[in-house]
Amino acid sequence: MHNIIATLVMFLLGLLFIGVSLPLYYKKVKPNYFYGIVRNIYECDSDWYVKNKRGAKKVIVISSVICVISFIPLAIPEFSATTVVIWIVGSCTAIVISLLHTFITEWRTKRSL
């Protein structure tokens, strides 16, 4: 039962982050301070769209990998509750690291201009 829960939660988390990133990737979100992988730290709107598209692409790739590997627990017969928590926290950590890497990279690029 734990492996079904782990699979479902991870798959839905992956889909959630893909769903949040797609509008940024397709440049459907206007520059703002609340929604965007890289905050509005650029003077030019076109820079904001380019940076958010790049960041959204990273999140979509990692989230897609998480969706695919979310089915691994179904292949493991015994999956304890502790392993489920570690599995889910690890997936969320991968997404957060991707977001932080994007933000830091773009912030450094902005400072060097």
Side-chain angles (χ1 to χ4, degrees), residues 2-18 62-73 79 83-92 94-95:
H2 292 294
N3 40 2
I4 294 172
I5 293 170
T7 299
L8 185 62
V9 169
M10 281 185 51
F11 187 76
L12 291 176
L13 273 174
L15 286 180
L16 173 72
F17 279 100
I18 289 171
I62 288 180
S63 298
S64 298
V65 170
I66 288 173
C67 284
V68 170
I69 66 169
S70 70
F71 293 101
I72 290 175
F79 214 67
T83 311
V84 169
V85 170
I86 292 170
W87 191 254
I88 293 170
V89 168
S91 299
C92 292
I95 293 171

Side-chain angles (χ1 to χ4, degrees), residues 42-68:
Y42 299 97
E43 292 84 22
C44 179
D45 286 353
S46 63
D47 287 344
W48 192 86
Y49 286 115
V50 169
K51 303 306 179 185
N52 276 287
K53 183 174 183 171
R54 185 182 308 149
K57 185 177 179 180
K58 288 180 185 179
V59 173
I60 289 169
V61 168
I62 288 180
S63 298
S64 298
V65 170
I66 288 173
C67 284
V68 170

